[in-house]
Amino acid sequence: MFRNFLLMATRNLAKQRLFAGFNILGIAMGIACCIVVYLLIQFHYNQDTFHSKASVIYMVNHVRTTDGSPEQWATSPDPIGPALKADLPDVKRFVRFQGERAVVKSGSNVFNEYIRLADPDFFRMFSFSLQAGSPDALTDPSAIILSEPMARKYFGNAQAIGQQLTILFGDKTKRNFTVRAVAAPFPNTASFSFDMLVNFAVGKELGWKDNDWARQVQATFIELTSPSSADKVTKALNRYVKAHNAINQQLVISSFYLDNLLTTAQHSHNTRHALASGTSPTGLLVLGVLAGLVLLMACFNFMNYTIATSTSRFKEIGVRKVLGSTRKQLIQQFIGENLLSGFLALVLAIVLAETLFLPAFSQLIDFYQLRFNLIDNWKLVLFLLVLMIGIGLISGLYPSLYISSFSPINVLKGKQRIAGNNGFVRTLLVVQFGLSMFTVAAAIVTTQNAQFIRHMDVGYNQNQLVVLRTDSEKSFNYLRDVASRLPDVVQVAGSQDQIGRAGDQTITLETSSVKSTADVFRVGSDYVSALGLRLTQGRNFLPDSPVDADQSVLVNESLVKTMGWQSAVGKRIRLDNKSYQVAGVVHDFNYQFFFVKIAPCILKLNRSSENRVLTLKVNTADLATLSNRLKTEWYKVMPDVPFELSQQEDVYSASYDESRRVKDVFTYVAILTLIISIMGLFALVSLSIAKKTKEIGIRKVLGASAFSVANLLNREFLILISVAGIIFLPLAFVAMKALFDNVYVYHIPVTAGSFVGALLLILLLALITIGSQVYKVAISNPVKALQTE
């Protein structure tokens, strides 16, 4: 029996190989999309599960209240780890994790690197394997542990253990370290790792003090005796809030809380990805919905195709019923044929996923390392089997129930017909093209928004600004003097911080009615004019004024609005336990991720001796020549420091990349849905023409024009597409407006033009698809049409 079913299903697919191929390809594309999204979701929820103690490792985070709203932060006070270990028996060990930028030298190799500092229990807490050396090496303050890529970068194929590295922290601390261990390649599900790791005690040489509640570290992890102790430790954390706030009156926290290592990456969007990488639930939901839409549209194609071709199987159904086949057997036959198509689509989907979809996704979102391996991923195999069965049932259940219900007498007498209006097929076609319009409109709007963000006014002139970060007052002054003499340099400015790179200080502002936080940037007196920051109230800093450095600050408009001031000039702000007067207000400028609202910030004047960042305003597009001139001078004063010239606009690359990714995702989905829709339309038009061959021949013999024949075939489909636009485009408008308002702080207005454009594009593609078929009929010999059976 099964052999007969399989043989018949294969023959039926072979008879309609073109249309069956379209359907199998469409479903394969839908499954391939689902494979990618499933792997992404699986990756997201499997991050850090390789740590054997993950269930008892917790990260100590804190909550601040800003403008009346709680904000979660991953940083923690330096002493809180040791305090928890000393005070609570439920805390087995702690590990502080901090990063510092430094210059690393080995022989002629000199690079800027990011050095991680961690407590000696790091390898006892986390399951990072070593390919050489001992985890006890971290107990030695003179030892350094390298990642496998770093070992190859500095020493090639030579043995790294025992080699020396010289590290320069800032412009003061220079130390030699000995490589004592090399880490094995990190699992791709590690949400955080390290390139170079040294003992946390090295921080004392950088000026860190013990028991300093004013200093924050990037992360503090604690290992508990059991997961059940988490609630008890969380309650005990409240006692440290007062200890912190007593010293940090300008950075007041509301509470501490624990986040388990298994959920740290999943919650990282709440803490601005301060340590762990992860995708927000909204992003996963959107990707899942889009993949589901692609697959659903392919299923709709399959259902339409099955119903539309059922007339060619009327005699088969009638004969089989007369010979004793039950309706159950017919249903099983049709569903079995769909499962066979689903299996073929699954095989093709696996090929597409591995060769096209996953590589494309990896280029689109390059910080994910998704791996496709059916042998080692039984959950993926189970998911695909369930998906294939679901596709077979969803796409085949209604057609099989409908077709198997035909009366055998009516079928054999030739009286059986598909319902004249066939509302179900029309409904599916409307929904299918409606979803295509939805994704096309979304692609158009997100593309326009990506262009808007790329050219958005950031509040100052970011173009023609290049930046050099020096290591000392001497090197800064030398390069400043050299740059000021270059013909292509219009203006030179100095600062300690760079706009767009997070300032190293955040303070809490508080009045009788308002409490907020503000970021602090330390800049030189010429920095405001060099960048083109626009003053809206008051004045700029006086050039190299010690009085302004001690007494005055500039603030942005967001701070003024937050504090509820009408005029900010003359208001006083407390910073570093000193009172400063607001000398001026600058127009809001972007210095954070574009998806975040511009926050209150303060510009504080530093003394010229504190400048380390050199910002040059240039009037040339030939940055290569300028870079070569500066590089020559750079190595005269900093021979052991790598030369790195950057453009000011580079600080917004993350924002530009994120908007591009959103645009690309919707564009790819729109292309897939268009391909599936056009393939489905092509199949339906071809079948419609086949059914009306004699009618068309008679009309042409009686004098019908090619236009009237085209109108006969086009009218119904174009009406259905127009109905889809009327129904779905308003829904798409509302959905995209809500998405933009919730995801983007700054975006283009969502207008009707993009959605009308999507309708016109679909209509144009439909006309081309239908027209290619109609043209063949219009120019054909009507006699041949009348001779067809």
Side-chain angles (χ1 to χ4, degrees):
M1 179 69 72
F2 176 76
R3 180 177 176 275
N4 290 334
F5 278 179
L6 183 61
L7 183 61
M8 190 172 298
T10 304
R11 287 175 177 174
N12 285 323
L13 289 177
K15 285 180 183 178
Q16 301 285 348
R17 61 179 65 89
L18 176 63
F19 304 141
F22 281 166
N23 284 308
I24 290 172
L25 177 59
I27 292 177
M29 289 191 295
I31 295 176
C33 287
C34 291
I35 288 175
V36 173
V37 174
Y38 177 85
L39 289 175
L40 176 62
I41 294 174
Q42 188 180 55
F43 176 89
H44 178 71
Y45 285 100
N46 280 346
Q47 284 186 277
D48 295 320
T49 54
F50 69 93
H51 293 292
S52 60
K53 299 179 181 179
S55 62
V56 292
I57 298 175
Y58 291 82
M59 189 171 171
V60 181
N61 296 345
H62 73 270
V63 178
R64 301 179 200 167
T65 301
T66 302
D67 299 336
S69 301
E71 292 182 347
Q72 297 178 355
W73 292 77
T75 55
S76 53
D78 184 321
I80 199 167
L84 288 169
K85 174 66 172 66
D87 298 343
L88 302 177
D90 293 302
V91 177
K92 191 173 181 179
R93 56 173 59 94
F94 69 90
V95 168
R96 291 163 295 184
F97 202 53
Q98 177 67 1
E100 292 288 331
R101 298 195 178 278
V103 174
V104 180
K105 182 178 181 181
S106 174
S108 60
N109 294 321
V110 182
F111 299 99
N112 287 313
E113 303 289 2
Y114 195 62
I115 311 296
R116 297 285 195 176
L117 295 87
D119 286 294
D121 280 340
F122 182 82
F123 288 102
R124 297 186 183 95
M125 181 180 289
F126 300 106
S127 301
F128 291 115
S129 301
L130 298 178
Q131 69 177 21
S134 168
D136 292 333
L138 196 57
T139 60
D140 181 2
S142 66
I144 186 169
I145 299 173
L146 304 181
S147 67
E148 192 268 340
M150 281 292 118
R152 282 189 285 105
K153 176 179 178 179
Y154 281 90
F155 308 111
N157 295 326
Q159 174 65 257
I161 302 297
Q163 299 278 7
Q164 296 290 314
L165 289 175
T166 301
I167 300 182
L168 176 65
F169 295 94
D171 60 343
K172 296 180 180 179
T173 304
K174 186 175 183 179
R175 275 205 50 181
N176 292 323
F177 291 87
T178 302
V179 179
R180 296 298 185 192
V182 176
F186 300 115
N188 71 315
T189 54
S191 66
F192 68 95
S193 57
F194 61 87
D195 291 322
M196 297 181 169
L197 187 68
V198 299
N199 191 300
F200 196 82
V202 173
K204 293 182 179 180
E205 299 181 33
L206 307 181
W208 301 355
K209 299 177 181 177
D210 289 333
N211 203 36
D212 183 5
W213 286 90
R215 203 180 70 79
Q216 299 281 319
V217 295
Q218 190 175 7
T220 298
F221 294 97
I222 58 174
E223 180 186 333
L224 304 184
T225 54
S226 69
S228 59
S229 304
D231 290 339
K232 180 179 178 181
V233 174
T234 299
K235 293 178 182 178
L237 282 170
N238 292 328
R239 73 178 72 169
Y240 305 104
V241 173
K242 291 183 179 179
H244 173 272
N245 292 343
I247 298 176
N248 299 274
Q249 297 180 5
Q250 293 183 322
L251 187 59
V252 176
I253 68 171
S254 305
S255 62
F256 291 105
Y257 70 96
L258 297 180
D259 191 9
N260 185 254
L261 183 61
L262 294 174
T263 58
T264 298
Q266 299 168 28
H267 298 161
S268 62
H269 62 283
N270 294 325
T271 56
R272 291 152 292 281
H273 304 284
L275 176 70
S277 58
T279 302
S280 69
T282 302
L284 292 175
L285 178 62
V286 170
L287 289 174
V289 169
L290 292 177
L293 287 180
V294 174
L295 184 59
L296 188 62
M297 289 181 63
C299 291
F300 286 172
N301 259 2
F302 205 117
M303 296 171 73
N304 278 338
Y305 159 77
T306 303
I307 294 174
T309 57
S310 61
T311 54
S312 64
R313 304 185 66 178
F314 281 174
K315 287 187 178 180
E316 174 198 338
I317 296 168
V319 170
R320 291 183 63 183
K321 281 198 169 186
V322 168
L323 294 177
S325 291
T326 64
R327 187 181 183 190
K328 179 180 179 182
Q329 289 175 323
L330 291 174
I331 291 174
Q332 290 174 344
Q333 173 68 44
F334 285 113
I335 291 180
E337 291 176 9
N338 287 339
L339 289 175
L340 175 61
S341 297
F343 175 76
L344 296 175
L346 177 61
V347 174
L348 180 58
I350 291 173
V351 175
L352 289 175
E354 191 163 10
T355 60
L356 293 177
F357 284 61
L358 272 176
F361 184 83
S362 297
Q363 290 182 351
L364 178 64
I365 307 180
D366 53 9
F367 49 81
Y368 283 115
Q369 302 175 28
L370 302 184
R371 296 176 182 173
F372 183 73
N373 190 335
L374 289 175
I375 297 176
D376 296 334
N377 195 340
W378 66 267
K379 291 182 180 179
L380 175 60
V381 175
L382 180 61
F383 168 76
L384 292 177
L385 290 176
V386 172
L387 189 65
M388 189 186 74
I389 294 172
I391 291 170
L393 292 176
I394 292 173
S395 61
L397 187 59
Y398 175 79
S400 61
L401 291 173
Y402 179 60
I403 296 170
S404 63
S405 66
F406 295 163
S407 166
I409 297 177
N410 289 336
V411 169
L412 294 176
K413 286 183 176 181
K415 295 182 179 180
Q416 183 65 55
R417 296 287 186 273
I418 298 291
N421 56 5
N422 203 354
F424 185 73
V425 173
R426 286 172 169 78
T427 300
L428 290 180
L429 195 62
V430 167
V431 172
Q432 188 177 37
F433 275 98
L435 294 176
S436 289
M437 290 180 198
F438 189 108
T439 58
V440 170
I444 293 174
V445 173
T446 52
T447 298
Q448 293 173 337
N449 195 62
Q451 293 173 345
F452 164 78
I453 288 179
R454 188 63 183 84
H455 301 97
M456 184 175 68
D457 179 15
V458 297
Y460 64 93
N461 183 16
Q462 60 172 321
N463 300 318
Q464 302 300 304
L465 290 173
V466 296
V467 180
L468 278 173
R469 189 175 295 271
T470 64
D471 68 346
S472 66
E473 178 186 0
K474 176 184 176 181
S475 57
F476 174 87
N477 291 337
Y478 178 81
L479 289 168
R480 177 198 60 197
D481 295 340
V482 168
S484 63
R485 294 193 295 267
L486 295 177
D488 295 329
V489 176
V490 177
Q491 189 176 355
V492 179
S495 62
Q496 281 185 265
D497 301 315
Q498 179 187 357
I499 294 298
R501 305 294 184 195
D504 66 350
Q505 189 173 8
T506 302
I507 66 167
T508 299
L509 304 174
E510 188 171 5
T511 65
S512 58
S513 58
V514 179
K515 185 177 182 181
S516 181
T517 60
D519 297 309
V520 180
F521 290 95
R522 300 162 299 179
V523 301
S525 57
D526 44 8
Y527 194 76
V528 172
S529 60
L531 267 67
L533 295 172
R534 302 187 286 270
L535 282 164
T536 58
Q537 293 182 31
R539 62 172 176 83
N540 193 3
F541 293 122
L542 299 176
D544 298 322
S545 169
V547 176
D548 270 1
D550 288 336
Q551 300 180 9
S552 302
V553 293
L554 303 180
V555 299
N556 69 347
E557 291 176 326
S558 290
L559 188 146
V560 176
K561 294 175 184 176
T562 299
M563 302 307 291
W565 296 335
Q566 295 297 320
S567 176
V569 177
K571 299 292 185 180
R572 304 202 71 84
I573 289 176
R574 193 160 190 82
L575 177 63
D576 295 330
N577 295 320
K578 290 176 60 177
S579 180
Y580 291 83
Q581 187 178 59
V582 177
V585 178
V586 296
H587 181 71
D588 277 342
F589 57 91
N590 289 90
Y591 65 92
Q592 294 177 314
F593 193 46
F594 286 172
F595 288 63
V596 178
K597 186 178 179 181
I598 293 176
C601 80
I602 298 169
L603 301 179
K604 180 183 180 298
L605 180 64
N606 56 251
R607 288 176 169 78
S608 58
S609 61
E610 299 170 326
N611 288 329
R612 296 294 181 270
V613 178
L614 186 67
T615 301
L616 311 179
K617 185 176 182 180
V618 300
N619 60 0
T620 179
D622 186 12
L623 295 181
T625 300
L626 176 65
S627 178
N628 290 333
R629 291 175 179 174
L630 291 171
K631 187 175 183 179
T632 300
E633 301 298 330
W634 174 280
Y635 284 118
K636 291 180 181 179
V637 288
M638 291 179 288
D640 293 334
V641 179
F643 174 82
E644 290 185 1
L645 181 70
S646 64
Q647 295 180 264
Q648 176 63 28
E649 65 179 354
D650 293 342
V651 302
Y652 303 114
S653 59
S655 297
Y656 297 147
D657 288 345
E658 186 67 19
S659 63
R660 175 190 57 79
R661 291 187 187 104
V662 173
K663 179 260 295 183
D664 287 348
V665 166
F666 279 101
T667 300
Y668 290 152
V669 171
I671 292 173
L672 291 176
T673 57
L674 280 176
I675 291 173
I676 292 172
S677 296
I678 295 305
M679 287 193 306
L681 182 62
F682 180 88
L684 289 177
V685 170
S686 299
L687 292 169
S688 178
I689 290 174
K691 294 175 184 177
K692 296 182 179 180
T693 301
K694 284 191 176 181
E695 178 185 349
I696 293 170
I698 294 172
R699 286 176 179 271
K700 291 182 70 177
V701 168
L702 294 177
S705 65
F707 176 80
S708 63
V709 172
N711 184 54
L712 171 69
L713 298 172
N714 280 343
R715 184 174 61 241
E716 181 180 9
F717 291 109
L718 295 181
I719 289 174
L720 291 176
I721 292 172
S722 300
V723 170
I726 293 171
I727 295 174
F728 279 85
L729 287 180
L731 297 176
F733 177 86
V734 173
M736 292 307 298
K737 190 175 186 308
L739 178 65
F740 272 38
D741 290 341
N742 286 315
V743 173
Y744 293 97
V745 175
Y746 309 100
H747 60 80
I748 60 170
V750 180
T751 60
S754 302
F755 301 87
V756 174
L759 174 60
L760 295 177
L761 176 61
I762 297 291
L763 287 172
L764 177 62
L765 291 175
L767 282 172
I768 294 173
T769 303
I770 299 172
S772 64
Q773 298 292 88
V774 171
Y775 177 75
K776 296 178 183 178
V777 176
I779 64 174
S780 64
N781 188 340
V783 176
K784 292 183 178 180
L786 294 175
Q787 291 176 343
T788 59
E789 291 296 333

